[in-house]
Amino acid sequence: MKIIDGKRISAEIKDELREKVAAYKAEGVEITLAVIQVGNDPASSVYVGNKKKACEYIGIRSLAYELPEETAEAELLALIENLNERADVNGILVQLPLPKHIDEEKVLNTISPLKDVDGFHPMNVGALCIGKEGFVSCTPAGIIELLKRSDVEIAGKECVVIGRSNIVGKPMALLLLRENGTVTITHSKTKDLKEVCSRADILVVAIGRPKMITADYVKEGAVVIDVGIHRGEGNKLCGDVDYDQVAPKCSAITPVPGGVGPMTIAMLMKNCVESIQLQK
Ligand code: NAD
């Protein structure tokens, strides 16, 4: 059984990006990411802090906009429109969740699709759907990198995705399809989830329920990717997969922490660097 090391692979990607950014700088091209946070949700502050740190490491300039909780929707939209127009800003990221009085969908749809490094704009989702170039949601894009860099063949394989969220499950299924996997999407209304999952050569789990996937969901020799993150007993992190039970059955598995998690930021950085090509 192989443990897919997301920490090592994400570090590898960040080092590759650092070199690319240095080459751009040598040509006089600087990459800038604008990060907007509204309010001071502690988890969001940690995520934003990590994104800033990653920018610093890679050599991307980051602009931080820390707006108070009571910021009006119109004010936030105006800021985004201003950043859309600025030629010196390549990527715009609005940290979610937003306060309840702000319409999240409206905000995400206001970000220019050419600067939408999170890949949430309907234009980018549509581009992924019809196989055109565009920004792809970072967590599922990171999972494809994990599979490729661990020499897991996707073409022709039975791939089962649990979860159909817009951020993880749906784009994950589309990406696996793009890699020529035979893809099944399952969700809370799926009948006999165990039976469907146990057909999978590659099982991607994005449910949001601690340790729900036990050994009886998994085929002998399957590759299991665990997207879930939870704080379990004794403040210990765990995923949606019961790792101790499932790992011995797998040919490869991602741990939590140190699997999918670190890839999300690495792919955000990759999207920032690739924005230069898309914007040309
Ligand atoms: P979500 O709540 O939006 O979606 C969960 C999906 O699971 C839904 O589509 C639902 O149909 C399905 N589901 C719920 N209960 C089910 C059941 N009993 N059987 C089968 N399907 C069921 O969640 P999300 O945003 O997709 O995130 C999923 C998990 O991944 C969460 O734990 C989240 O914290 C984590 N996550 C991690 C990263 C990362 O960077 N590692 C990024 C995003 C999300």
Side-chain angles (χ1 to χ4, degrees), residues 95-112:
Q95 184 63 45
L96 301 179
L98 287 168
K100 288 204 170 45
H101 66 277
I102 299 179
D103 179 348
E104 216 161 83
E105 196 179 334
K106 206 164 163 188
V107 169
L108 296 180
N109 291 358
T110 302
I111 298 173
S112 159

Side-chain angles (χ1 to χ4, degrees), residues 15-166:
D15 284 338
E16 291 164 14
L17 292 172
R18 198 170 142 121
E19 275 180 33
K20 270 196 189 154
V21 169
Y24 273 129
K25 276 196 180 150
E27 292 168 18
V29 178
E30 176 150 64
I31 303 172
T32 300
L33 171 67
V35 180
I36 306 172
Q37 184 182 359
V38 186
N40 42 22
D41 171 64
S44 292
S45 301
V46 172
Y47 293 138
V48 166
N50 288 341
K51 287 167 190 175
K52 279 189 221 157
K53 257 189 253 161
C55 281
E56 225 168 89
Y57 180 77
I58 290 165
I60 294 174
R61 182 169 73 121
S62 70
L63 304 177
Y65 295 88
E66 284 152 21
L67 310 180
E69 179 84 21
E70 60 277 10
T71 302
E73 184 182 281
E75 200 182 320
L76 176 59
L77 296 179
L79 170 62
I80 294 171
E81 273 156 12
N82 174 263
L83 294 168
N84 281 344
E85 274 160 29
R86 272 176 62 173
D88 68 325
V89 172
N90 306 95
I92 303 170
L93 182 150
V94 178
Q95 184 63 45
L96 301 179
L98 287 168
K100 288 204 170 45
H101 66 277
I102 299 179
D103 179 348
E104 216 161 83
E105 196 179 334
K106 206 164 163 188
V107 169
L108 296 180
N109 291 358
T110 302
I111 298 173
S112 159
L114 286 173
K115 298 189 178 184
D116 167 41
V117 284
D118 258 336
F120 295 161
H121 192 285
M123 285 270 285
N124 283 316
V125 177
L128 173 62
C129 228
I130 59 172
K132 297 278 182 218
E133 214 178 7
F135 292 113
V136 178
S137 177
C138 300
T139 302
I143 291 170
I144 295 291
E145 284 291 324
L146 280 181
L147 293 171
K148 286 190 172 169
R149 290 176 190 242
S150 307
D151 298 319
V152 175
E153 173 90 32
I154 303 171
K157 293 292 168 63
E158 287 283 345
C159 305
V160 174
V161 179
I162 320 181
R164 56 173 160 184
S165 70
N166 290 338

Side-chain angles (χ1 to χ4, degrees), residues 139 162-165 168 187-188 193 206-209 212 227-230 240 260-261 264:
T139 302
I162 320 181
R164 56 173 160 184
S165 70
V168 188
H187 45 79
S188 53
L193 184 66
I207 314 171
R209 292 184 178 224
M212 187 181 126
V227 187
I229 314 179
H230 313 276
D240 289 346
V260 173
T264 301

